[in-house]
Amino acid sequence: MTAPLPLTILGGFLGAGKTTLVNHLLRHAEGRRLAVLVNEFGELPIDEDLIEAEGDDLISISGGCVCCSYGSDLTAALMDLARMEPRPDHVLLESSGVAIPGAIAATVGLLQGYRLDGIVVLADAETLRATAADRYMGDTVTRQLEDADLVVLNKCDLVTGAELSALRGWLQDRHAGLRQVEARQAAVDPAVVLGGFDGAPVSARTPENPVQSRHLRLDGPVDDPAALAGALAQDRLGLIRAKGFVTDRAGARFLIQVVGRRAACTPAPGPVSAPDGIVCLGAGGRADWPAVLALGARTSEEA
Amino acid sequence: MTTIYSARKIITMCASQPTASHVAVRDGRILGVGPLDSLTGWGDYTLDERFADKVLMPGLIEGHAHTMEGTLWKYAYCGYFDRTDPVGRDWEGIKTLDGVLNRLKEADALIADPDAPLPGWQFDPIYMDNRRMTRHDLDKVSTTRPIGVLHASGHIMNVNSKALELGGMLRTGINHPGVPLGEDGLPTGELKGPDVMTPIGVHVGFDRSMLDCDDDGLRNFGRLCVRAGVTTTTDLAARLEDDTVDMMLKVTGEADYPARVVALRYFMGMTPRELVDRVIALRARSTDRLRLGRIKVVTDGSIQGFSARLRWPGYFNGAPNGLWYVSPQQLREVMDLALAEDVQIHTHTNGDEATDLVLDTMEAALRGQPSPDHRFTIQHCQLADSAQFHRMGKLGMCVNLFANHHFYWGDEHYRLTVGPERAERMNACATALARGVPMAIHSDAPITPLGPLFTAWCAVNRITASGRTQGEAEKIGVAEALYAITMGAAYTLKLDGEIGSIEVGKKADFAVLEDDPTEIGGGNLKDVRVWGTVQGGRVFAAADQT
């Protein structure tokens, strides 16, 4: 049986930068075949220079990526996508501006063949507070933020330092423990949205957006891999993502994947050559690295 | 070639001559109305006395329906209320869960292939002490074929184990608010909401394009129109892809197709600019019997589904506020463009907060793009209050209220969704008229049965399914209700110059009735017998619709 397809939900209000982020990720796909599902082919969601061919429901993008529209029938589009050959490596689901991402996540959870890799919600630093106070849209935006595993606070270059600082405080007051990455023109490190950060330190790639990575070393087996995954997702650590392999005391290997507050621990798929250890990402200096690394140390000591 | 029909009575809905004895028809249009001697001056004529003992009204107009009802009749009818199918068979309403299962067993026996799907529709456990149907119940009908029973609301479906298995959902570990689980950790077979219905629906015979009818379905819908006295109907949310438009042009163009269909393009899958351009292109393909060129925008969900957007104090049972299906920016953009291009918009707007959004957006759009006669229409508009109706009138908007809802779900609204006070004033026809808002009333078929005279009865009596009168003060008179299902609906479609009354120059569209709705008494309006229709001068007897 093939491994389930990882799927990331991109939520956020109209104008927050979802389409810009999609194009940014397509430009930095680095060999990964991304399938982008958009609510509809409204304003063409893909930059023209990336398009290889356009059909009624499908746009072919350079590098083997595709973009499909789902209109009123998300489930059907996901079922079609799962049968696509060649198979995509990762699915990005761009929801409509008024959609509640948690509801979409529940739907994805019904479909075999998919693994929800997290809900990333974009927010416009310039307008977020006004939208959250809007009499019609306020509760929708609030629900979107509540459902987010990660928030990309976009357009940070359009506000002053003082405004940004106030916005951070406002966000933490309303959504304690919220994991956020700050960006301009939605240029976040692809690893933040897509995971797959086994290579070089990611911070070098997008210098205006300081994402840090640390390697959590594990020198031996752990008592409870699921508990470790849960610990990595705790608010107080402030991690954006974490991914790696661990071995339990019975010798079984597990894959741990954390996206903000969402933690998953599943049996490792097939034989894995990678050594035990977990790569962790933090952003904006908000990760508590000593506490993160202490998780590994404690494990080692116990081992 | 002129035909003059005599009638027991002709109710014209034209103020200058409210009743008459004869109507002259030439080339599918009304040449004149009045006593016979006022019509003979037009030259040679044939006097046709077949309606001499009938009552003629303007052909009735259904301002909010979906032609897919014609397609649903291919499936097993599982409704609680008696309902007549397109070919005239009366299906007795089923009052118990066992009765529904027996109906499905009968349908099962008629399908030879043991693996073929069995779809049913219009089930409503609200009337059966809310006892939920489970997959185990449906497994008694068949364990080999997938079975799916769609609820009357259209938002819930019950399926059997085979259907769950085919959809990959007969497993533990499912975590979804729309999929209740049994004690065994497996789904009970109840699926709530389109997201969870779709993956199973394709296996039980409800395919993806449920909003669109097929050609036989459209013909069947025409038959339903004749039975209900309807000569013009809407198809209020169609995707109108090219092949669907071709099919609809073909079917409605058939010599014996008995209705005019006004089909609105649903705002989905296009930008506002593309949508308006598409609709303008479609408008050019209109024929007399297929009218294209209008837009439908869905702003929120449904009240009984708790997905409508309500103002404070929200849902009576404390459910969180509903969902937006359009963003304010998109709504504004599509309104701006449609006003500029003179394309009409009808909005699906159930909750009162959604009504506020439409009114605010419309007011802003009109300041930038004044329009002398746009007649944008708020559909459903079930919770609007007096102040909102006032604004509608000021903004030149129309309203089409869901009078039938009051009968079918009024008790639920009182008890559960919005509570007594707002339930009493839901679908406030009297207030709408008092505030000067042009008004129609509707069935939303297939959600409730097509039948404008029944809809008029609902608005006149405001009786719920349990027999309570709900909202005495919002009752309207028989004359007002009959106006709403003729001229009122015509006005919301900008067709009031062509149809909706019996007067010179208009289409020869008549509802042919056995009883006089102005004499039978408001409490009996729903019992007015329909003989058939005349549509564009062509005579259609309900008895011939087989």
Side-chain angles (χ1 to χ4, degrees):
Chain A
M1 190 175 151
T2 47
L5 257 174
L7 179 146
T8 302
I9 296 170
L10 283 184
F13 202 61
L14 201 70
K18 296 190 295 290
T19 302
T20 312
L21 177 58
V22 163
N23 281 285
H24 170 74
L25 294 171
L26 287 169
R27 285 183 193 285
H28 298 91
E30 291 167 2
R32 273 192 282 203
R33 275 196 307 276
L34 300 182
V36 181
L37 266 176
V38 297
N39 183 220
E40 52 201 55
F41 286 166
E43 301 297 340
L44 198 59
I46 306 298
D47 291 345
E48 265 184 57
D49 63 300
L50 292 173
I51 294 175
E52 283 185 346
E54 256 183 86
D56 279 348
D57 298 313
L58 188 86
I59 297 173
S60 296
I61 301 160
S62 54
C65 301
V66 294
C67 179
C68 322
S69 67
Y70 63 85
S72 57
D73 200 343
L74 172 62
T75 310
L78 284 170
M79 291 193 294
D80 288 346
L81 197 58
R83 285 190 291 268
M84 184 175 281
E85 289 291 339
R87 215 168 110 93
D89 297 317
H90 199 113
V91 177
L92 277 172
L93 197 168
E94 181 185 337
S95 66
S96 91
V98 288
I100 307 299
I104 297 177
T107 300
V108 171
L110 286 181
L111 297 173
Q112 288 177 309
Y114 283 93
R115 176 180 68 77
L116 181 65
D117 193 51
I119 298 171
V120 177
V121 170
L122 276 93
D124 180 338
E126 211 181 9
T127 62
L128 177 60
R129 290 178 71 168
T131 311
D134 183 84
R135 72 165 278 216
Y136 295 116
M137 290 298 138
D139 66 318
T140 299
V141 169
T142 300
R143 283 198 229 179
Q144 290 174 346
L145 292 172
E146 281 170 357
D147 285 352
D149 297 313
L150 290 179
V151 169
V152 174
L153 196 57
N154 193 25
K155 307 191 183 183
C156 288
D157 51 327
L158 302 182
V159 296
T160 65
E163 284 166 341
L164 184 58
S165 171
L167 183 59
R168 285 179 192 138
W170 178 86
L171 266 174
Q172 287 302 326
D173 283 350
R174 289 170 59 107
H175 304 279
L178 185 90
R179 258 34 90 69
Q180 80 212 48
V181 177
E182 290 162 13
R184 60 175 80 176
Q185 290 170 2
V188 297
D189 192 292
V192 168
V193 183
L194 301 173
F197 35 88
D198 332 299
V202 287
S203 55
R205 288 189 235 158
T206 46
E208 76 275 13
N209 180 51
V211 172
Q212 306 91 22
S213 74
R214 295 282 190 281
H215 186 237
L216 176 60
R217 289 181 47 186
L218 299 169
D219 297 325
V222 300
D223 287 327
D224 186 345
L228 178 59
L232 287 164
Q234 293 172 91
D235 288 348
R236 66 181 180 87
L237 299 190
L239 287 182
I240 297 298
R241 273 185 175 269
K243 182 181 178 183
F245 293 98
V246 300
T247 306
D248 73 5
R249 297 203 182 275
R253 297 203 80 202
F254 291 87
L255 172 62
I256 284 179
Q257 297 181 92
V258 173
V259 184
R261 299 162 165 179
R262 179 181 301 273
C265 178
T266 50
V272 179
S273 58
D276 281 6
I278 297 166
V279 179
C280 303
L281 297 190
R286 283 180 293 277
D288 183 350
W289 291 119
V292 172
L293 298 177
L295 283 174
R298 199 181 64 214
T299 312
S300 308
E301 282 163 20
E302 284 166 5
Chain B
M1 184 64 204
T2 302
T3 303
I4 297 181
Y5 293 99
S6 63
R8 169 152 64 105
K9 183 177 182 183
I10 299 173
I11 302 165
T12 67
M13 290 292 152
C14 172
S16 53
Q17 184 179 217
T19 60
S21 60
H22 291 76
V23 57
V25 174
R26 181 190 288 174
D27 297 335
R29 301 172 72 178
I30 296 165
L31 184 64
V33 189
L36 182 60
D37 60 9
S38 76
L39 302 172
T40 54
W42 287 104
D44 290 346
Y45 65 91
T46 307
L47 182 65
D48 189 327
E49 301 203 281
R50 75 175 94 183
F51 301 140
D53 63 344
K54 314 285 187 223
V55 173
L56 300 188
M57 268 189 73
L60 306 181
I61 300 170
E62 173 51 79
H64 189 144
H66 304 275
T67 57
M68 72 177 190
E69 165 144 18
T71 304
L72 286 174
W73 279 107
K74 286 194 297 196
Y75 312 137
Y77 178 67
C78 300
Y80 181 84
F81 296 95
D82 299 348
R83 195 146 163 166
T84 305
D85 75 10
V87 297
R89 175 168 172 186
D90 293 319
W91 291 84
E92 196 181 330
I94 310 173
K95 308 302 184 195
T96 65
L97 191 59
D98 286 339
V100 172
L101 297 175
N102 286 335
R103 171 72 48 85
L104 290 167
K105 282 174 189 162
E106 289 163 23
D108 174 81
L110 297 175
I111 310 173
D113 179 355
D115 300 329
L118 170 56
W121 65 291
Q122 210 64 13
F123 176 55
D124 206 338
I126 279 174
Y127 301 116
M128 300 173 186
D129 295 330
N130 234 0
R131 198 199 131 189
R132 311 313 281 188
M133 181 188 269
T134 69
R135 65 189 171 91
H136 302 296
D137 294 321
L138 289 172
D139 288 347
K140 290 181 210 153
V141 178
S142 176
T143 54
T144 60
R145 71 170 83 255
I147 302 173
V149 182
L150 194 63
H151 286 215
S153 69
H155 297 288
I156 302 177
M157 186 162 68
N158 283 100
V159 300
N160 68 347
S161 299
K162 187 68 186 178
L164 285 170
E165 182 194 323
L166 289 174
M169 278 171 54
L170 194 58
R171 58 186 166 94
T172 55
I174 288 177
N175 177 19
H176 191 291
V179 185
L181 303 179
E183 284 175 5
D184 55 4
L186 296 168
T188 63
E190 185 153 284
L191 306 173
K192 302 176 184 177
D195 293 341
V196 294
M197 285 157 54
T198 306
I200 307 294
V202 295
H203 297 289
V204 298
F206 290 114
D207 67 10
R208 296 172 186 180
S209 56
M210 280 238 338
L211 270 184
D212 294 349
C213 68
D214 55 7
D215 46 359
D216 280 339
L218 191 53
R219 290 187 190 97
N220 268 336
F221 198 76
R223 295 183 180 102
L224 289 170
C225 286
V226 173
R227 295 187 183 287
V230 170
T231 53
T232 299
T233 182
T234 42
D235 188 11
L236 214 80
R239 295 187 303 173
L240 297 179
E241 309 282 355
D242 282 331
D243 50 355
T244 306
V245 172
D246 292 343
M247 179 278 287
M248 294 179 86
L249 283 168
K250 182 189 76 170
V251 172
T252 57
E254 287 164 0
D256 58 350
Y257 195 76
R260 187 177 293 102
V261 178
V262 182
L264 279 69
R265 176 49 163 92
Y266 180 24
F267 177 26
M268 173 61 74
M270 288 185 179
T271 61
R273 179 76 258 171
E274 289 165 346
L275 175 69
V276 170
D277 289 346
R278 168 76 179 157
V279 163
I280 290 169
L282 284 172
R283 183 161 64 190
R285 299 188 69 190
S286 289
T287 61
D288 175 34
R289 292 209 286 274
L290 182 64
R291 302 300 180 96
L292 303 166
R294 294 169 181 80
I295 290 171
K296 165 84 172 286
V297 179
V298 178
T299 62
D300 67 341
S302 72
I303 297 169
Q304 74 272 32
F306 301 100
S307 53
R309 291 290 308 194
L310 266 54
R311 296 189 296 196
W312 191 87
Y315 286 103
F316 195 47
N317 70 348
N321 208 348
L323 300 172
W324 292 108
Y325 291 146
V326 69
S327 70
Q329 294 92 329
Q330 288 171 312
L331 180 64
R332 175 67 193 273
E333 194 179 346
V334 73
M335 279 184 164
D336 283 346
L337 290 168
L339 286 170
E341 302 280 2
D342 196 23
V343 169
Q344 201 196 16
I345 295 178
H346 287 234
T347 58
H348 160 116
T349 307
N350 260 317
D352 51 358
E353 189 185 46
T355 300
D356 264 358
L357 176 69
V358 169
L359 291 170
D360 285 355
T361 310
M362 188 67 188
E363 186 170 338
L366 279 171
R367 286 188 201 287
Q369 180 65 59
S371 172
D373 190 20
H374 53 79
R375 300 192 206 177
F376 282 15
T377 299
I378 303 187
Q379 295 279 349
H380 304 323
C381 200
Q382 299 202 70
L383 286 171
D385 65 11
S386 177
Q388 290 178 320
F389 283 118
H390 232 142
R391 287 185 76 194
M392 274 170 237
K394 294 280 186 197
L395 294 172
M397 301 187 81
C398 309
V399 72
N400 191 346
L401 296 171
F402 200 166
N404 284 22
H405 215 271
H406 211 75
F407 174 75
Y408 287 102
W409 288 286
D411 294 316
E412 295 303 303
H413 292 315
Y414 190 94
R415 189 176 64 75
L416 193 65
T417 66
V418 298
E421 183 183 350
R422 286 177 296 174
E424 293 269 344
R425 71 135 204 256
M426 277 180 85
N427 295 293
C429 293
T431 299
L433 293 177
R435 295 291 166 257
V437 187
M439 182 190 78
I441 49 180
H442 67 269
S443 71
D444 202 9
I447 304 301
T448 75
L450 180 72
L453 288 163
F454 174 80
T455 304
W457 174 85
C458 291
V460 166
N461 298 285
R462 293 183 70 89
I463 290 173
T464 67
S466 71
R468 291 186 308 114
T469 297
Q470 190 164 291
E472 183 70 36
E474 291 296 347
K475 286 181 177 178
I476 56 173
V478 171
E480 291 164 320
L482 296 180
Y483 190 88
I485 59 174
T486 53
M487 285 303 289
Y491 189 89
T492 66
L493 299 171
K494 285 195 167 184
L495 293 176
D496 52 315
E498 286 186 62
I499 57 175
S501 62
I502 300 178
E503 57 185 302
V504 59
K506 286 196 168 181
K507 303 288 183 192
D509 289 0
F510 313 132
V512 183
L513 310 175
E514 303 280 5
D515 306 296
D516 181 347
T518 63
E519 298 287 338
I520 198 169
N524 300 319
L525 264 185
K526 65 179 169 53
D527 302 320
V528 168
R529 292 165 296 161
V530 177
W531 177 90
T533 61
V534 176
Q535 208 274 359
R538 301 165 304 149
V539 177
F540 298 97
D544 294 343
Q545 304 300 311
T546 54

